[in-house]
Amino acid sequence: MNTHVKKISGEPADLSRRSFLVGTAAAGLALGYSAVPGLLGADQALAAPAKFDPSVWYSIGSDGLVTVTCGKADMGQHIASTMAQIVSEELGSSWKDMRVQLASNDPKFNDPVLGAQITGGSWSTMMNFDAMSRAGAAGRIALTQAAATIMGVPAGELVVRDSTVSHPKSKKSMSFADIVKSGKITKTFTPDELKAIKLKTPDQYTMVGVSVPQLDIPPKSNGTAKYGIDVNLPGMVYGAVVTPPVRFGATVKSVDDSAAKKVPGFIKAVTLDDKTGSTTGWVVAVANTYANAKKAAGALKVAYDGGPNAKLSSESLLEEAKRLQKLDDSGQFFVKDGDTAAAFGTAAKVLEAEYTTSINIHAPLEPMNATAEFKGDILNIYSGNQFATRSGAIAAGAAGIDPKFVVMHQMWLGGGFGRRLDADMMVPAVQAAKAVGKPVKVIYSRENDMTMDYSRPLTFQKVKAGLDGDGKLIALNHDVVSAWPTQRWGIPDFLSPSVDKKGPLDAFTVNGADFFYSVPNHNVRAIKNEMAHNATPSGQLRSVAPGWTFWAVESMIDELAHAAGKDPAEYRISLLDGKGKNDGGAQRLRSTLLAAMGMAGYGTVKLPKGEGMGVACVSSQERATASWTACVAHVAVSPSGEVKVKKLTVATDVGMQVHPDNIRAQVEGAALWGLSLAMYEKATLKDGGIEQTNFDTYTPLRMSQMPEVAVNVIANGEKPTGVGEPAVTVIAPALGNAIFNACGARVRALPITAEAVKASMKA
Amino acid sequence: MPNLNINGRNMSVEAAGDTPLLWVIREQLQMTGTKFGCGAGLCGACTIHVNGEAVRSCQTPVSEAVGKKITTIEGLSAKSDHPLQKAWILEQVPQCGYCQSGQIMQAASLLSKNSNPTKEEVVAHMDGNLCRCMTYSRIQKAILRAAADMRTASNAGTERRPT
């Protein structure tokens, strides 16, 4: 298991190296953890000049407004609002007094568990719940003690509610604003004191579990929310990028700007010298307006050397994957339980199948952009980004300066989905700003954004399974071949040791394959497709590995059930026996599956010919961070193979609901993402370049394609889990299994096409 | 130097006639609620009204907009209180929010002509607007709610009118 995830198992986040500061700052009461050293140069950043904001987790103004600073990227999951909600619960503030702001890359805002500023993995709520609760509680204690002194009553007799501290016996009360204005608050919590704070129990919650209005929604309904693309700095000019026809590995041979020079407002063409390896062969056209920069970009004549990947295609990547999978010594083991070879020798029946997924593009609706400004010693970057710790370092690398001189100004993200974990957009902005001596805002065209995406990699999986005479699954070999998105970051902490000690592997390519079914002999091999890794540098796309591993696992489990003559849902339930290491998780997953089946009427509703229901259940995102999720998909398949999705019924066990309405919104969005990836989104590589350039050829789900979606959330009082991604991963296999039940066609390639369904019907 | 009538004000801008209206609005006029999404009329993020019709501002040259009445999200209502904007908040529609100005402007052009659209009419009218967060069901609900609110308001208005 990944080292960064290990830390969350067990008790509250390790706050031992922190102390909590409460003091009266100029603007009011400031509360915050002191910084903790983290990943990637954050230690150095601690010594950064005082020009960094004096950072705090939240502050209370003399007007009583509580402003929470969110160190997480908010890309539509409303995490800033959620953090405010958790603080508010323990602080005792009124929701109408809560405000949010987005953090800079000051390490003070690092994730208390991860030790860096990174947003992904559906981790934020689960990893920050304890720390934010303690922050809120510490503030309440400080306010209460100050109020007790002022009122001359025992602190223990005070009640805190709706931003007011009151003393019921004497009917005295003070608002938070009054207490802050009094200037009487001084308290420091030692790490031990912080740890010893007794937090509320769920039965005492008045905020957690309530669907309060999200704080970011009003500005997103009137155009005032500011995204990276909306940044405006004095004297700023604009950059449009010219990218090569090859996704990665090209170099610029020459740039002819004679035609561009005739474009009014044209300033300069800047060929990137990118030592960070984020881009290859890019040129930026800089002009006084974006429209002129685009015109100039179009007028540049750039000659390229296509580099080593210029002949590669999706077909060559798949062929290479198949070659690698056949080799005995490929890859490293992620799971190695029992002896599969011996078990296959005794099996009554052996099934083998190959599953593939295509290249997929994030395509958030806000195209990648960044604004860079050199001001004195400081490089200011304005961009919506999911990984400020690393992206700041990339920006520094592009500028040739120390990361401690980079200040990242976080903005609302016009979609993230993992795309904004990367920092390629920093490079053209920084180098153009340096070249022209002015702040530069670089905006990708949609074509740049699609063809230069850090895409979900093309994947190839081979699964071999053995059944005994009773149809029981006794052996499973699962090979996963893909590019390694997380290894690309070059951060050892994000890699995992292999079971066979052949060096670290990228668990973000195999997570999910270590499922909660009891299989006595089980191998999972992670095989890096070096060719794909180089030609299509991949990224983390919403749900990452479980988006492909469960496509294979949950399709194969269905195939096995049919081979054993059993109902696929019943077959799953028998495999979820909760034995050994699967104790706990398996039972929760089983219950979730049963909930989805009940909601959908699986096995009870009689369907007309050509219709079918299929099930799938998943423990995404990772074993240690699972949200237990199940889906029943209901489809109708026409004789020509056209699939109509009639309904998706999703059940998910999230432990605890901080914001029930948001969980439903996230799960529905995730499920529709799953559907979009399963049926509508496909990118292809040809001559080293991504062929799809805009929404006419890369076609995410539109409103008219949306089926009915029913979401059932199970909250059983366990720790809160993530909801942004898991439901993505359960849809494709549920659909594939439903299609089989509808018409007998087994589809093993994503996205599912009518042609593939029809071909499989005939076979 | 083209003169534009935008959100009820006359503004003079400096731009070549073929400049997409989108960039003039966003950069020169600093009204950044209108978003750039695809530059090809495929996503609807840049939707504004020209003479009351929903158009893609990335596909509208500034020369074509001269002499016409342009409305952006900033000018849709005086206090962000258009029935659609209120419904957007009540239904908690936006996730990342980036497409939502365009969604609201597209929806507003429907409701200005059809105060009682069916769900199918909503889908047909809105299908050109992508939402990558897939908030489609809430968009539908919010449009139908706003339509109902507008009908109620206009009925109430009629009733109050002295005879």
Side-chain angles (χ1 to χ4, degrees):
Chain A
M1 193 46 55
N2 315 336
T3 50
H4 62 285
V5 169
K6 247 187 207 157
K7 297 175 191 163
I8 73 143
S9 54
E11 283 315 289
D14 177 17
L15 302 170
S16 58
R17 288 177 298 167
R18 292 155 173 264
S19 56
F20 196 77
L21 313 168
V22 181
T24 307
L29 179 66
L31 306 101
Y33 291 105
S34 62
V36 60
L39 293 168
L40 250 197
D43 290 338
Q44 295 151 30
L46 281 176
K51 284 173 186 159
F52 283 106
D53 290 339
S55 55
V56 286
W57 287 82
Y58 68 97
S59 62
I60 307 174
S62 52
D63 51 5
L65 295 181
V66 181
T67 304
V68 175
T69 304
C70 180
K72 290 288 161 185
D74 200 317
M75 56 198 114
Q77 81 282 42
H78 304 301
I79 194 63
S81 200
T82 298
M83 292 295 146
Q85 200 178 348
I86 298 169
V87 168
S88 175
E89 174 69 67
E90 290 286 348
L91 180 61
S93 54
S94 168
W95 186 243
K96 67 175 171 45
D97 294 334
M98 298 304 290
R99 301 289 184 273
V100 290
Q101 65 181 20
L102 305 174
S104 73
N105 60 328
D106 190 317
K108 282 179 186 172
F109 298 123
N110 283 354
D111 186 287
V113 175
L114 299 169
Q117 264 187 53
I118 178 169
T119 309
S122 299
W123 291 325
S124 300
T125 301
M126 68 177 87
M127 294 193 184
N128 290 271
F129 188 88
D130 184 76
M132 286 296 157
S133 296
R134 282 175 200 284
R140 184 192 67 234
I141 292 166
L143 287 161
T144 308
Q145 291 184 353
T149 308
I150 300 165
M151 294 183 197
V153 299
E157 290 179 6
L158 292 171
V159 176
V160 184
R161 186 185 293 164
D162 291 338
S163 302
T164 303
V165 182
S166 52
H167 186 244
K169 276 191 195 164
S170 65
K171 298 209 161 61
K172 285 180 185 166
S173 75
M174 286 184 87
S175 68
F176 285 5
D178 292 339
I179 302 168
V180 171
K181 273 186 275 190
S182 77
K184 291 269 162 45
I185 307 167
T186 47
K187 182 160 178 66
T188 302
F189 288 83
T190 66
D192 284 343
E193 283 171 333
L194 201 55
K195 224 183 221 172
I197 293 177
K198 201 165 170 304
L199 298 177
K200 287 187 184 176
T201 50
D203 57 301
Q204 297 171 306
Y205 287 159
T206 57
M207 285 294 299
V208 168
V210 178
S211 297
V212 292
Q214 303 284 9
L215 298 174
D216 55 318
I217 281 186
K220 289 176 176 175
S221 302
N222 64 14
T224 57
K226 294 288 180 204
Y227 301 82
I229 202 168
D230 301 328
V231 166
N232 184 38
L233 300 177
M236 181 177 84
V237 294
Y238 298 82
V241 296
V242 181
T243 55
V246 173
R247 167 65 188 92
F248 203 80
T251 47
V252 173
K253 283 202 294 196
S254 65
V255 180
D256 173 2
D257 65 356
S258 51
K261 279 182 174 151
K262 291 177 189 142
V263 175
F266 174 69
I267 298 168
K268 198 172 197 173
V270 181
T271 303
L272 300 189
D273 174 20
D274 185 357
K275 295 194 168 56
T276 74
S278 306
T279 66
T280 55
W282 291 26
V283 180
V284 193
V286 186
N288 64 335
T289 68
Y290 185 67
N292 286 339
K294 278 286 294 169
K295 266 189 203 170
L300 288 176
K301 291 184 192 68
V302 185
Y304 300 99
D305 178 333
N309 305 315
K311 293 272 183 278
L312 297 178
S313 64
S314 292
E315 290 73 27
S316 41
L317 303 188
L318 183 59
E319 206 175 294
E320 173 66 1
K322 289 182 174 178
R323 185 188 74 79
L324 290 166
Q325 188 275 327
K326 285 200 184 82
L327 301 175
D328 285 338
D329 60 348
S330 283
Q332 292 122 286
F333 282 92
F334 179 57
V335 175
K336 207 170 189 339
D337 291 343
D339 184 345
T340 58
F344 281 121
T346 68
K349 206 178 248 181
V350 173
L351 267 72
E352 289 187 67
E354 297 173 354
Y355 302 91
T356 59
T357 67
S358 67
I359 297 168
N360 288 111
I361 298 173
H362 294 82
L365 219 50
E366 180 194 10
M368 294 304 109
N369 61 81
T371 303
E373 177 191 44
F374 290 89
K375 214 173 182 179
D377 288 341
I378 298 296
L379 168 57
N380 289 288
I381 298 281
Y382 299 80
S383 189
N385 193 267
Q386 293 176 242
F387 197 174
T389 308
R390 176 173 181 265
S391 299
I394 298 272
I401 60 174
D402 192 296
K404 72 183 179 188
F405 295 113
V406 177
V407 178
M408 305 284 289
H409 299 263
Q410 182 67 296
M411 309 296 293
W412 297 103
L413 278 62
F417 315 117
R419 176 63 179 93
R420 289 184 156 92
L421 286 163
D422 268 296
D424 45 297
M425 69 298 287
M426 310 303 166
V427 182
V430 166
Q431 297 198 343
K434 206 172 173 180
V436 304
K438 287 179 178 177
V440 176
K441 173 156 75 178
V442 163
I443 305 170
Y444 291 12
S445 67
R446 178 55 60 187
E447 290 76 13
N448 301 140
D449 192 272
M450 284 212 178
T451 57
M452 293 295 145
D453 188 39
Y454 283 96
S455 52
R456 174 159 111 170
L458 176 145
T459 69
F460 171 75
Q461 297 174 79
K462 176 87 182 262
V463 185
K464 180 179 174 185
L467 304 179
D468 69 11
D470 298 327
K472 193 172 174 305
L473 176 57
I474 55 168
L476 194 81
N477 274 352
H478 184 178
D479 290 338
V480 183
V481 194
S482 70
W484 281 15
T486 311
Q487 190 204 38
R488 191 174 52 77
W489 288 347
I491 306 171
D493 273 2
F494 279 97
L495 298 176
S496 306
S498 50
V499 180
D500 52 342
K501 302 192 165 55
K502 274 174 71 181
L505 57 80
D506 185 347
F508 294 90
T509 68
V510 281
N511 281 322
D514 53 344
F515 46 59
F516 281 78
Y517 295 128
S518 287
V519 183
N521 304 289
H522 182 200
N523 287 351
V524 178
R525 203 158 55 130
I527 301 170
K528 182 183 179 189
N529 185 343
E530 197 77 45
M531 181 192 282
H533 193 76
N534 294 331
T536 55
S538 64
Q540 293 71 18
L541 182 138
R542 191 174 190 174
S543 84
V544 204
W548 58 81
T549 56
F550 279 118
W551 165 238
V553 168
E554 285 299 281
S555 295
M556 182 48 122
I557 294 292
D558 234 64
E559 299 201 39
L560 294 171
H562 289 292
K566 305 221 162 102
D567 174 85
E570 303 288 346
Y571 193 72
R572 284 176 170 80
I573 289 164
S574 69
L575 284 169
L576 293 168
D577 61 15
K579 286 190 181 144
K581 66 178 179 181
N582 297 322
D583 185 26
Q587 290 90 331
R588 289 177 75 178
L589 188 54
R590 190 172 66 194
S591 299
T592 307
L593 174 58
L594 286 165
M597 289 162 64
M599 292 239 309
Y602 179 89
T604 60
V605 177
K606 220 164 158 51
L607 300 174
K609 193 173 177 311
E611 293 192 15
M613 286 191 189
V615 303
C617 59
V618 301
S619 49
S620 307
Q621 285 299 105
E622 298 158 57
R623 251 186 100 91
T625 64
S627 295
W628 317 96
T629 309
C631 175
V632 179
H634 177 187
V635 303
V637 184
S638 75
S640 62
E642 296 288 341
V643 176
K644 178 165 175 55
V645 181
K646 301 194 77 164
K647 186 172 179 181
L648 300 172
T649 303
V650 180
T652 184
D653 171 356
V654 301
M656 181 193 291
Q657 305 189 80
V658 176
H659 194 294
D661 181 63
N662 188 38
I663 291 172
R664 278 155 186 82
Q666 290 300 309
V667 172
E668 179 172 316
L672 292 174
W673 255 78
L675 171 60
S676 193
L677 290 165
M679 294 189 56
Y680 302 114
E681 297 186 34
K682 181 178 186 174
T684 49
L685 191 76
K686 193 184 174 191
D687 297 331
I690 295 291
E691 292 187 278
Q692 293 69 24
T693 59
N694 211 317
F695 292 119
D696 49 351
T697 46
Y698 193 80
T699 52
L701 180 107
R702 287 181 183 267
M703 190 184 275
S704 59
Q705 294 163 317
M706 187 184 62
E708 185 185 351
V709 182
V711 173
N712 184 24
V713 177
I714 300 166
N716 47 23
E718 301 276 349
K719 284 183 192 306
T721 65
V723 296
E725 298 174 287
V728 175
T729 71
V730 77
I731 304 299
L735 284 172
N737 297 338
I739 291 166
F740 182 82
N741 290 335
C743 68
R746 177 58 67 182
V747 185
R748 299 191 182 91
L750 292 183
I752 297 164
T753 62
E755 296 72 44
V757 173
K758 186 146 195 255
S760 178
M761 272 197 256
K762 279 182 189 159
Chain B
M1 252 207 288
N3 266 303
L4 297 177
N5 180 281
I6 182 157
N7 298 332
R9 290 168 61 198
N10 286 313
M11 294 180 173
S12 143
V13 296
E14 265 181 69
D18 63 348
T19 308
L21 190 52
L22 168 68
W23 296 109
V24 172
I25 291 170
R26 286 182 51 80
E27 282 175 15
Q28 283 198 40
L29 306 179
Q30 274 300 305
M31 296 180 192
T32 54
T34 305
K35 301 304 187 196
F36 166 58
C38 70
L42 298 166
C43 78
C46 67
T47 303
I48 59 168
H49 295 173
V50 175
N51 286 349
E53 297 288 336
V55 302
R56 308 301 190 220
S57 62
C58 77
Q59 298 297 293
T60 309
V62 71
S63 58
E64 269 185 29
V66 173
K68 294 177 185 164
K69 195 169 167 279
I70 302 164
T71 310
T72 69
I73 185 74
E74 289 87 354
L76 181 66
S77 60
K79 293 177 178 166
S80 305
D81 56 356
H82 187 282
L84 280 164
Q85 291 173 303
K86 289 201 257 183
W88 243 246
I89 292 169
L90 288 168
E91 295 291 345
Q92 295 278 287
V93 174
Q95 288 187 22
C96 90
Y98 192 77
C99 73
Q100 301 295 352
S101 297
Q103 303 277 4
I104 290 170
M105 295 308 284
Q106 181 73 18
S109 74
L110 172 67
L111 297 191
S112 68
K113 295 186 190 77
N114 180 355
S115 62
N116 195 6
T118 62
K119 192 179 153 193
E120 289 68 31
E121 286 169 333
V122 169
V123 171
H125 185 82
M126 300 301 297
D127 213 32
N129 286 63
L130 271 174
C131 173
R132 191 54 163 146
C133 304
M134 317 264 176
T135 63
Y136 298 124
S137 68
R138 290 182 184 224
I139 291 172
Q140 274 177 18
K141 272 189 222 156
I143 294 172
L144 295 173
R145 175 194 271 250
D149 289 351
M150 286 164 83
R151 290 196 303 276
T152 310
S154 96
N155 289 342
T158 312
E159 280 156 23
R160 275 200 300 274
R161 199 171 298 152
T163 49

